[in-house]
Amino acid sequence: SDDFTDGTGADQADVIWHDQRTVSASSNDDLDLAGSLTNSFGATVTFAKVKGIYIQNTNTTAGDIITVGGEGSNEFSTPFGADGDKVKIGAAGVFALYDPSAAAYAVTAGTDDKLRISETGGANAAVYNIVIIGTTA
C-alpha cells in the first residue's frame, strides 16, 4: 500500500478515474486519457501523467482474454515501451502498473493519450474494472 497526498509531484496525485466497462467480442474500447473521460460528477478528466493503472478482467470463462495497449494512433505507450506493445489479461486476471515518481508515465494530448482495451480471446463480451490515478500537470 502507499499513500498519495494532493498535488502533482512525487507521491502525489490530483485526479482519479474509475469505471466498469464492457467491450464486445473482438472489439476495442479506446480511452482518451486527455479529454474524453468523465468522472462521476460529469466533469472531464484530463491526465498529464499516470501514476497507476489497475485493470481487472471480470470474466471467469477460460479463454476470455482482454488486451491492453496497441491503439495504433496516438497510442498511450509510455509504460509499454513502444507503440504496438500489449499486455494480455486472462480470465479473472489483473494488470497493475504503479509509478509514484514525479515523472510517472507522461500523457501527451493528441499524440500519446489513447489507451486501448480489446476483447481478444473469446466469443463473449469482456467486462472489466479500471482505475487510473494521475496528475493534471
Side-chain angles (χ1 to χ4, degrees):
S1 79
D2 198 358
D3 294 325
F4 282 113
T5 58
D6 186 36
T8 60
D11 295 315
Q12 295 181 322
D14 64 352
V15 65
I16 185 170
W17 177 82
H18 59 89
D19 202 1
Q20 182 174 78
R21 300 177 67 88
T22 301
V23 59
S24 300
S26 301
S27 295
N28 303 316
D29 189 14
D30 294 331
L31 308 175
D32 185 344
L33 303 180
S36 72
L37 302 176
T38 56
N39 65 20
S40 57
F41 300 107
T44 300
V45 175
T46 301
F47 289 93
K49 296 175 188 160
V50 170
K51 302 282 184 128
I53 300 174
Y54 172 89
I55 302 172
Q56 174 193 25
N57 181 352
T58 65
N59 290 30
T60 57
T61 302
D64 282 354
I65 298 168
I66 60 175
T67 301
V68 180
E71 199 278 338
S73 168
N74 302 331
E75 181 177 345
F76 177 61
S77 60
T78 310
F80 299 105
D83 285 355
D85 288 352
K86 303 173 187 177
V87 175
K88 292 183 178 184
I89 307 171
V94 169
F95 168 74
L97 183 71
Y98 178 69
D99 182 352
S101 73
Y105 301 105
V107 175
T108 306
T111 61
D112 193 9
D113 62 349
K114 293 194 180 155
L115 179 64
R116 174 169 283 175
I117 312 296
S118 304
E119 191 293 318
T120 56
N124 300 318
V127 178
Y128 67 96
N129 295 317
I130 183 168
V131 179
I132 304 174
I133 300 169
T135 64
T136 57

